[in-house]
């Protein structure tokens, strides 16, 4: 049966003996072997209760089996919902409650806790070594599966993205959203089966999952699949590789190591950066050291990728390039919604086949951010130069990006404000050499109370993922406010940055 994403990304590889997933210390997995394992896993999912349209929540270590699980979910007609492995029980409980999955796949170590919040979903396990109830006895299942019928507009994935106002929103991504973007990127970045990609990103976000893996699948490229970012492993892999995708922290870390040289990367064709701003100085230092101009692109969970610097031609530091083919970008006045004059700063809005279907069960939020004419309001402020290069010059949304992870200050402020003795708080991002931005919390105690910052961090630890924890707490007698009563975060950044 027709299945838009499966038919383009996976089915064509049924007889393809070229290596797909390559790992240190393990046998290569060919494309054909991958297709067979995916079919077996689709049987496992179906037998475990997955119906067409059901969500599959996955909070599991990065493994080749998790890539198979993604593809098997698509083949069985499910909706893939990966979660950051750093999320706490409370955070996961919210996603499970909101998305009401039929299946949850988690690390064996968290299975008991997951059962408690499963909300009726069946829990399967997948451990870092690939074992678990998801894969137990898998080879006994048939290696052909009757692919579920899914059209271009059916959902393939639900990816949660935090918001300025608190509750995380599930971005509904259709088969056509994912496939159209995959085709645009594969074409633009000239990805082919001769490529070998260094894959050190997590696969629970758009960057590592869709940008990196979907393009490799479409092109039939080989993926050097690493469990995470390890400088030694990447240095060892670069001489054999042709491509790498990373967040800016990858590039600053590579630059901090003397082993990075033009010789080491002489086989490389393309370095891509995204998810957070790449400093122009990092871009320039990388070119000076290696001769490679990093290609910076811009995307969002809701839209996949929107713009990219050119493959041929000038990759301009500090810019995110031009709209992808088929994608429209316009800049508008945040108040009036009117387009700004050429060269002016405005809200970045995007329209195209990449733009999501709306937020899961949140029609008001969808209506607030997705215009009836199809333009999505990104919350990022941009400027377009005379040559059409877009630069992100600021954000309307109060957002911190640390090491490529998005953190909404409101979520941390809510936790801090709940703590006994805290009157109010403001959370800011300050420049950090490794993560780009680091989180600082400024806390005002209740009148006459002292605050012990150790107890603050203790309270935060149990409720929020590690990457959201403030690296520093500052106690202040009051927060600076403007005449409208709004906290002036710029003033706080000046004081504490
Ligand atoms: C780890 N830690 C972090 C982060 N990562 N803290 C803040 N921000 C982070 N990103 C914590 C660890 O838990 C640890 O805490 C301490 O910081 C030091 O960790 P370290 O070993 O240095 O970290 P790492 O394991 O090397 O990870 C850093 C990383 C990783 C490689 C930069 O965070 C990463 O892979 N980031 C990529 C994120 C990503 O894929 N973003 C794409 C989102 P402790 O010391 O207490 O143990 S998709 C997206 O944004 C859009 C769509 C787009 O355009 O792509
Ligand atoms: P997410 O919510 O994880 O999808 O993150 C999307 C946000 O990351 C965008 O709205 C931007 O603010 C930011 N972002 C992604 N790519 C870039 C980039 N190349 N430069 C600056 N910011 C970026």
């Amino acid at each position: 049966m027709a299945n838009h994403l499966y038919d383009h990304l996976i089915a064509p590889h049924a007889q393809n003996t070229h290596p797909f997933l390559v790992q240190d210390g393990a046998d290569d997995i060919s494309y054909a072997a991958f297709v067979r394992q995916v079919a077996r896993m689709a049987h496992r999912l179906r037998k475990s209760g997955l119906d067409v349209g059901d969500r599959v929540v996955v909070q599991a270590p990065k493994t080749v089996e998790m890539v198979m699980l993604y593809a098997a979910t698509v083949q069985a007609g499910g909706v893939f919902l990966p979660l950051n492995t750093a999320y706490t029980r409370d955070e996961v409980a919210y996603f499970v409650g909101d998305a009401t999955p039929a299946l949850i796949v988690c690390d064996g170590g968290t299975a008991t806790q997951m059962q408690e919040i499963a909300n009726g979903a069946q829990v399967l396990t997948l451990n870092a070594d690939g074992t678990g109830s998801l894969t137990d006895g898998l080879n006994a299942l048939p290696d052909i599966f009757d692919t579920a019928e899914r059209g271009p507009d059916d959902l393939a994935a639900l990816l949660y993205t935090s918001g300025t106002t608190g509750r995380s929103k599930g971005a509904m991504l259709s088969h056509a959203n994912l496939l159209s973007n995959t085709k645009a990127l594969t074409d633009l970045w000239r990805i082919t089966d001769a490529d070998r990609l260094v894959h050190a990103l997590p696969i629970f976000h758009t960057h590592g999952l869709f940008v990196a893996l979907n393009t490799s699948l479409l092109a039939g490229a080989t993926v050097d699949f690493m469990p995470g970012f390890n400088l030694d492993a990447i240095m060892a892999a670069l001489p054999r590789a042709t491509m790498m995708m990373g967040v800016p922290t990858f590039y600053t870390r590579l630059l901090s190591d003397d082993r990075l040289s033009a010789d080491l990367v002489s086989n490389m064709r393309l370095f891509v950066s995204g998810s957070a701003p790449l400093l122009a100085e990092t871009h320039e230092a990388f070119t000076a050291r290696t001769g490679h101009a990093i290609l910076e692109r811009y995307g969002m969970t809701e839209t996949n990728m929107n713009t990219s610097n050119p493959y041929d031609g000038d990759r301009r530091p500090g810019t995110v390039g031009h709209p992808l083919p088929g994608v429209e970008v316009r800049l508008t006045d945040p108040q009036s919604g009117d387009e700004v004059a050429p060269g002016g700063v405005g809200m970045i809005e995007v329209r195209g086949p990449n733009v999501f279907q709306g937020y899961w069960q949140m029609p008001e939020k969808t209506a607030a951010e997705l215009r009836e004419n199809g333009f999505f309001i990104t919350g990022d402020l941009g400027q377009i130069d005379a040559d059409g290069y877009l630069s992100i010059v600021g954000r309307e949304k109060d957002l911190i990006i640390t090491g490529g992870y998005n953190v909404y200050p409101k979520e941390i402020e809510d936790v801090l404000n709940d703590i006994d003795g805290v009157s109010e708080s403001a959370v800011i991002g300050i420049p950090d050499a490794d993560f780009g931005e680091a989180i600082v919390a400024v806390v005002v105690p209740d009148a006459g109370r002292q605050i012990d910052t150790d107890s603050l961090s203790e309270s935060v630890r149990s409720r929020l993922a590690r990457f959201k924890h403030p690296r520093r707490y500052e106690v202040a007698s009051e927060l600076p406010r403007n005449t409208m009563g709004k906290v002036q975060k710029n003033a706080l950044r000046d004081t504490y940055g």
Side-chain angles (χ1 to χ4, degrees):
M1 274 195 262
N3 179 309
H4 197 62
L5 203 54
Y6 182 86
D7 292 350
H8 287 87
L9 297 190
I10 297 143
H13 298 300
Q15 310 301 327
N16 180 357
T17 54
H18 195 59
F20 172 32
L21 298 166
V22 173
Q23 288 178 293
D24 248 3
D27 290 342
D28 296 355
I29 298 170
S30 73
Y31 270 96
F34 178 78
V35 174
R36 290 194 296 274
Q37 283 304 88
V38 167
R40 293 184 172 117
M41 211 178 276
H43 281 288
R44 172 61 43 87
L45 297 181
R46 188 67 86 235
K47 282 179 196 297
S48 305
L50 184 83
D51 280 333
V52 171
D54 283 346
R55 277 75 56 212
V56 179
V57 163
V58 185
Q59 191 193 33
K62 181 180 174 185
T63 54
V64 293
E65 288 78 11
M66 185 165 158
V67 182
M68 292 166 187
L69 176 58
Y70 159 55
T73 303
V74 172
Q75 186 173 20
V79 179
F80 194 64
L81 196 172
L83 293 177
N84 193 321
T85 47
Y87 288 148
T88 61
R89 180 187 192 278
D90 287 3
E91 289 168 311
V92 176
Y94 167 76
F95 298 119
V96 169
D98 193 58
T100 58
L103 287 179
I104 299 176
V105 179
C106 68
D107 186 276
T110 60
T112 308
Q113 164 179 310
M114 205 60 94
Q115 291 283 4
E116 291 163 13
I117 57 171
N119 211 4
Q122 162 111 10
V123 177
L124 296 171
T125 58
L126 176 60
N127 304 314
D129 61 1
T131 60
S133 56
L134 177 74
T135 51
D136 275 353
L138 200 66
N139 288 341
L141 296 175
D143 63 4
I144 291 181
F145 180 84
D146 188 9
T147 304
E149 172 124 24
R150 294 271 84 187
D153 295 335
D154 288 320
L155 295 192
L158 188 59
L159 261 59
Y160 275 82
T161 155
S162 308
T164 33
T165 52
R167 291 181 66 207
S168 286
K169 303 162 287 184
M172 299 189 287
L173 295 159
S174 69
H175 282 238
N177 289 150
L178 299 182
L179 186 63
S180 65
N181 211 240
T182 303
K183 284 181 169 169
L185 296 176
T186 307
D187 197 36
L188 194 71
W189 297 344
R190 314 249 176 101
I191 306 174
T192 70
D193 61 3
D195 276 309
R196 182 176 169 121
L197 175 77
V198 173
H199 194 304
L201 287 161
I203 53 172
F204 43 69
H205 279 313
T206 296
H207 198 164
L209 181 63
F210 301 139
V211 183
L213 289 179
N214 282 354
T215 54
S216 299
L217 281 162
L218 184 67
T222 296
V223 175
D224 200 334
F225 195 75
M226 305 179 173
F229 183 94
N230 177 301
L231 205 45
D232 292 338
I234 292 181
M235 291 292 177
L238 283 172
R240 297 190 307 270
T242 63
M243 285 187 75
M244 189 177 94
M245 297 183 189
V247 296
T249 301
F250 281 29
Y251 293 103
T252 51
R253 287 185 178 184
L254 284 174
L255 275 167
S256 71
D257 193 302
D258 289 340
R259 287 174 290 180
L260 181 74
S261 67
D263 273 354
L264 188 84
V265 299
S266 60
N267 194 45
M268 284 292 285
R269 185 174 71 71
L270 185 62
F271 289 95
V272 177
S273 177
S275 309
L278 181 74
L279 294 179
E281 67 192 55
T282 309
H283 192 289
E284 283 151 9
F286 201 85
T287 307
R289 179 92 71 88
T290 66
H292 282 274
I294 299 170
L295 182 153
E296 186 172 7
R297 59 38 171 202
Y298 160 60
M300 288 187 72
T301 301
E302 289 91 334
T303 61
N304 286 279
M305 299 304 102
N306 298 313
T307 72
S308 168
N309 267 280
Y311 186 80
D312 292 320
D314 204 9
R315 297 178 196 157
R316 291 195 186 160
T319 82
V320 292
H322 309 289
L324 296 180
V327 177
E328 292 170 78
V329 171
R330 68 174 191 179
L331 303 180
T332 58
D333 180 300
Q335 266 72 48
S336 68
D338 296 337
E339 276 193 60
V340 300
V345 171
M347 170 69 74
I348 304 174
E349 297 192 15
V350 295
R351 180 164 70 181
N354 56 321
V355 174
F356 74 141
Q357 307 300 299
Y359 294 113
W360 175 256
Q361 292 178 341
M362 287 187 179
E364 319 77 43
K365 292 224 189 298
T366 302
E369 294 180 36
L370 194 55
R371 295 187 191 280
E372 273 177 16
N373 64 9
F375 273 100
F376 174 65
I377 305 167
T378 62
D380 294 313
L381 298 173
Q383 194 168 23
I384 298 176
D385 72 13
D387 299 325
Y389 285 76
L390 175 70
S391 296
I392 299 171
V393 298
R395 296 189 202 113
E396 266 271 300
K397 50 194 176 193
D398 188 12
L399 165 69
I400 297 168
I401 307 185
T402 164
Y405 288 142
N406 288 9
V407 178
Y408 282 85
K410 172 86 167 55
E411 195 183 357
I412 306 169
E413 290 161 4
D414 284 349
V415 169
L416 292 171
N417 295 346
D418 257 6
I419 298 172
D420 183 43
V422 173
S423 165
E424 58 174 349
S425 61
V427 167
I428 53 171
I430 61 162
D432 180 84
D434 188 28
F435 289 135
E437 285 186 282
I439 302 172
V440 171
V442 184
V443 181
V444 178
D446 283 332
R449 298 279 298 265
Q450 298 278 326
I451 286 188
D452 165 22
T453 53
D454 286 346
S455 73
L456 292 181
S457 65
E458 188 59 39
S459 304
V460 167
R461 191 169 309 142
S462 62
R463 295 184 52 189
L464 298 174
R466 172 74 183 113
F467 66 90
K468 299 178 188 170
H469 297 183
R471 295 302 158 117
R472 209 169 92 206
Y473 290 89
E474 297 283 352
V475 178
S477 54
E478 60 178 1
L479 298 175
R481 292 183 188 276
N482 66 15
T483 49
M484 308 288 288
K486 192 168 181 279
V487 175
Q488 292 176 299
K489 293 208 166 172
N490 279 338
L492 288 175
R493 279 188 282 268
D494 290 343
T495 308
Y496 298 104

